[in-house]
Amino acid sequence: MSVSLIGIIFVQGYWIKQSVEDKEEQFTNMVTEVLNKVTEKIEKRELGDYTSELLKIRDSIGGQARTPELLKNIFFMERDMNSNEITYYSHGILEENYNVPSTFFDNSNFGMGSDSAVLKNYTSIRNKTIFKEDFGLDGRSNVLTPIQKVEKIGGLTAMDKVAYEDVFKESAKLKPIHQRVTKQEIELLLDQELKNRNINTEYQYGIYSRGLPTKVKSRKFKISNGNKIYKYPIFKDSEGESNFTLLVNFPAKKKFLIQTILPMAILSLLFTLVIVIAYTSAIYQILKQKQISEIKSDFINNMTHEFKTPIATINLAVEAIRNPKIIEDKEKVERYLNMIKEENKRMHAQVENVLRISKLEKKQLDISKDRVDVHDIIHDAMAHVELIVADRGGYINLHLDADNSEVLANDMHFTNVIVNMLDNAIKYSPEAPKIDVYTERVNNYIIIKVKDQGAGMSKAVLKKVFEKFYREHTGNIHNVKGHGLGLAYVKRIIEDHQGEVYAESEKGKGSTFFVKLPLI
């Protein structure tokens, strides 16, 4: 079970670590995609601005373009033998040249260093003509009749477009970076792309030129070893090279990644914690059951030892009575009968204690409470044990100083509580028992204190002294009779009276038991 539990905890920890790594890789891919989209949109926007500017200039000329000049033309002819059709193809490029003074151009914007400038427009023209071949009357000559003619004028071809963009990118290199893109544009595009991918965390950005910072950056952006920097080139030329790099970092990236797996991680840890608690509880219950088993074995041994003596005494008395010489002696018979009665009463009291504590646990013991005087109860309890104390040469001194001693209690059970405490003090006094009983009033409570000068208890024993069946281990020596139920009974009865019971003791220096009850 321990190996399995350790394995489960290890697997859960490995899964969480692997999930964070997977999320980080996924995060890196998404950020790279975001930077790609952002730089692509910025480059397209710049190209669009440049094209729009050129179109504005061309439209503002006001004059007509020169006659278009056909730069090149490609011919192709195809004959269909089945339909007697001849298809004629032609594809040419027209150049339209505009009369534009050089003052119309801002050389700093378009990178034109010459004094004169030429604005030209290139278009493609495609023709498709289909001829039908008809035979003449003589059967040999033929007539070509055009039956379809298609002419399509389009924009620049792909190659021309590439050449146009290349010229633009080379000229745009001469402009400062802060004139090509603004911080507001970068932030708007980054916010939009990150939001589309559910990346809701703080970011900082900056554009660097050949490793050096530019003006285009967020206020808190800086390159530090603690945060990973994501880089992507911006404003690439026709060869894919660029002098500028867009850098982005996420200061709270770790927190964001952990938050993405936090619900599942919490559930996983919660279930693991349940398993750990259940496992710990099972081990605890096993150890406790083992301890209870040992305590019950001690209890049975003690009960057997205590029953053994009275049973042997009863047997001897019965055998003596059966003797013809004894049975005629009424005085001896009476003495043996009293002996049997006392021993039987003793065994009955022990069995009654066991049944009483069992009923108390099951809440089957009827405890009715009346107004009683604690001092009267103490005097009654003392009467039960004073002969035993006197027989052993000891004493019980009363110090009943409480000015109010009336409580709501059950007369019989509360008397048994005091008797049990006194009996306990007598049993655990190796020499003559010396017992002092005190009462005092503290606020609305009465404190009863039973102090002896007996063997005392260690701290380990003191913690368990009120547990059922518990007795201090003395090996196989049963010099102190008992079954570990007296103080457990005391605790149950006092708690039923809304009171408290506790003890103070030191090995070899005696013990003091305290009972605290609310006054009427």
Side-chain angles (χ1 to χ4, degrees):
M1 287 172 66
S2 298
V3 171
S4 298
L5 184 59
I6 293 171
I8 289 172
I9 294 173
F10 174 78
V11 168
Q12 293 297 329
Y14 176 78
W15 175 84
I16 293 174
K17 179 176 176 293
Q18 194 65 36
S19 296
V20 172
E21 290 177 356
D22 292 343
K23 286 290 183 181
E24 187 165 3
E25 184 178 353
Q26 183 181 356
F27 183 83
T28 299
N29 294 334
M30 287 194 295
V31 170
T32 303
E33 186 180 348
V34 166
L35 295 179
N36 178 39
K37 290 287 186 182
V38 169
T39 55
E40 184 180 332
K41 288 183 177 180
I42 291 173
E43 290 171 356
K44 285 184 177 180
R45 188 268 312 155
E46 186 184 38
L47 178 61
D49 291 347
Y50 183 83
T51 305
S52 299
E53 193 68 26
L54 285 178
L55 292 176
K56 285 180 182 178
I57 294 174
R58 190 191 72 177
D59 293 340
S60 65
I61 292 172
Q64 296 295 325
R66 293 182 179 179
T67 305
E69 179 183 355
L70 187 61
L71 296 180
K72 59 181 178 178
N73 203 8
I74 300 173
F75 300 94
F76 179 76
M77 189 170 64
E78 182 182 62
R79 176 188 287 271
D80 189 343
M81 301 303 294
N82 295 322
S83 61
N84 295 326
E85 289 182 353
I86 298 174
T87 304
Y88 173 79
Y89 298 94
S90 69
H91 187 182
I93 297 179
L94 295 177
E95 178 187 84
E96 294 178 305
N97 199 353
Y98 295 86
N99 294 319
V100 181
S102 59
T103 55
F104 275 86
F105 290 95
D106 183 356
N107 295 340
S108 63
N109 286 340
F110 299 103
M112 298 178 180
S114 60
D115 293 335
S116 61
V118 178
L119 180 61
K120 297 180 180 181
N121 183 38
Y122 296 91
T123 57
S124 64
I125 181 169
R126 293 183 290 276
N127 289 291
K128 179 181 178 182
T129 307
I130 301 175
F131 297 92
K132 181 72 172 179
E133 188 175 28
D134 294 331
F135 289 97
L137 296 176
D138 57 1
R140 291 190 300 274
S141 61
N142 53 28
V143 180
L144 295 177
T145 306
I147 60 173
Q148 185 179 4
K149 185 175 182 179
V150 178
E151 182 177 85
K152 184 176 182 181
I153 299 176
L156 294 175
T157 63
M159 292 299 295
D160 294 330
K161 185 177 180 181
V162 169
Y164 168 76
E165 292 182 358
D166 181 62
V167 171
F168 155 70
K169 290 178 180 179
E170 289 299 322
S171 64
K173 285 182 180 180
L174 302 175
K175 295 177 62 177
I177 186 66
H178 62 274
Q179 293 183 8
R180 301 180 68 180
V181 63
T182 62
K183 293 191 290 184
Q184 290 79 6
E185 181 182 9
I186 294 175
E187 290 172 5
L188 181 65
L189 292 174
L190 281 174
D191 288 342
Q192 181 181 354
E193 294 297 330
L194 291 172
K195 184 178 180 182
N196 291 340
R197 290 160 180 80
N198 295 320
I199 301 178
N200 303 314
T201 183
E202 179 189 358
Y203 66 87
Q204 302 294 335
Y205 68 91
I207 294 182
Y208 273 55
S209 174
R210 300 181 185 274
L212 299 175
T214 66
K215 294 181 179 180
V216 184
K217 64 177 182 177
S218 57
R219 186 168 57 88
K220 297 181 180 180
F221 179 78
K222 62 179 179 178
I223 297 179
S224 62
N225 296 329
N227 295 324
K228 182 178 179 181
I229 302 294
Y230 299 91
K231 304 177 181 179
Y232 205 85
I234 187 172
F235 299 126
K236 299 183 290 292
D237 57 22
S238 56
E239 296 178 358
E241 301 294 332
S242 175
N243 294 332
F244 300 100
T245 305
L246 176 61
L247 283 68
V248 177
N249 67 4
F250 298 87
K253 183 184 73 172
K254 281 290 183 185
K255 183 180 178 181
F256 172 75
L257 293 177
I258 291 174
Q259 284 179 344
T260 57
I261 65 165
L262 194 59
M264 290 301 297
I266 289 176
L267 282 177
S268 176
L269 292 175
L270 182 63
F271 291 141
T272 304
L273 182 62
V274 170
I275 295 174
V276 170
I277 292 173
Y279 172 75
T280 306
S281 176
I283 296 298
Y284 174 76
Q285 292 297 330
I286 290 171
L287 295 176
K288 189 173 182 180
Q289 289 299 322
K290 182 182 177 183
Q291 184 184 20
I292 290 173
S293 178
E294 292 174 354
I295 291 173
K296 285 185 176 180
S297 296
D298 290 343
F299 167 74
I300 292 170
N301 291 336
N302 289 329
M303 289 293 288
T304 303
H305 180 80
E306 291 196 17
F307 283 145
K308 186 177 180 180
T309 302
I311 289 172
T313 304
I314 291 171
N315 283 335
L316 289 173
V318 170
E319 289 296 327
I321 292 173
R322 290 177 63 185
N323 191 323
K325 294 181 180 180
I326 301 297
I327 200 169
E328 297 297 333
D329 190 342
K330 291 185 178 180
E331 185 178 345
K332 288 185 177 180
V333 169
E334 187 69 27
R335 184 160 64 87
Y336 286 135
L337 287 175
N338 284 334
M339 191 182 296
I340 292 171
K341 182 180 178 182
E342 289 299 322
E343 294 298 328
N344 184 64
K345 184 178 179 182
R346 180 178 165 190
M347 286 193 297
H348 178 74
Q350 290 174 350
V351 172
E352 188 63 30
N353 274 338
V354 175
L355 294 176
R356 193 187 303 152
I357 198 74
S358 176
K359 286 183 177 180
L360 193 60
E361 281 190 340
K362 296 178 181 178
K363 301 185 185 297
Q364 295 177 352
L365 199 63
D366 184 22
I367 302 178
S368 58
K369 301 180 182 70
D370 299 308
R371 181 189 293 263
V372 296
D373 193 306
V374 171
H375 292 167
D376 293 340
I377 296 291
I378 292 174
H379 283 291
D380 291 343
M382 181 179 168
H384 284 77
V385 297
E386 61 182 350
L387 291 178
I388 300 174
V389 174
D391 185 61
R392 291 185 56 186
Y395 65 83
I396 299 178
N397 290 332
L398 301 181
H399 311 274
L400 309 180
D401 299 327
D403 56 357
N404 183 5
S405 57
E406 288 192 341
V407 299
L408 197 63
N410 182 277
D411 190 8
M412 182 192 72
H413 287 293
F414 194 59
T415 302
N416 287 336
V417 164
I418 305 299
V419 169
N420 271 319
M421 293 173 66
L422 294 173
D423 184 56
N424 206 61
I426 295 167
K427 285 193 298 185
Y428 288 94
S429 295
E431 299 175 357
K434 300 174 183 179
I435 303 170
D436 291 277
V437 180
Y438 301 86
T439 62
E440 62 176 318
R441 178 181 176 180
V442 178
N443 296 328
N444 292 325
Y445 292 90
I446 185 170
I447 307 294
I448 305 167
K449 183 165 61 173
V450 179
K451 182 178 181 181
D452 65 64
Q453 300 178 28
M457 295 175 284
S458 64
K459 290 184 179 180
V461 175
L462 194 61
K463 290 179 181 179
K464 300 180 180 180
V465 72
F466 292 103
E467 292 182 7
K468 189 174 65 170
F469 299 127
Y470 181 79
R471 295 184 73 236
E472 186 176 4
H473 290 286
T474 56
N476 293 324
I477 301 172
H478 296 276
N479 54 344
V480 179
K481 296 184 179 182
H483 36 67
L485 292 176
L487 291 177
Y489 168 75
V490 168
K491 183 177 176 64
R492 295 278 181 157
I493 293 297
I494 295 300
E495 286 179 350
D496 187 75
H497 285 72
Q498 288 78 47
E500 298 177 33
V501 59
Y502 52 96
E504 294 178 356
S505 183
E506 190 175 345
K507 195 72 174 175
K509 294 186 179 180
S511 305
T512 305
F513 285 83
F514 298 85
V515 173
K516 181 180 178 182
L517 287 173
L519 292 167
I520 294 178

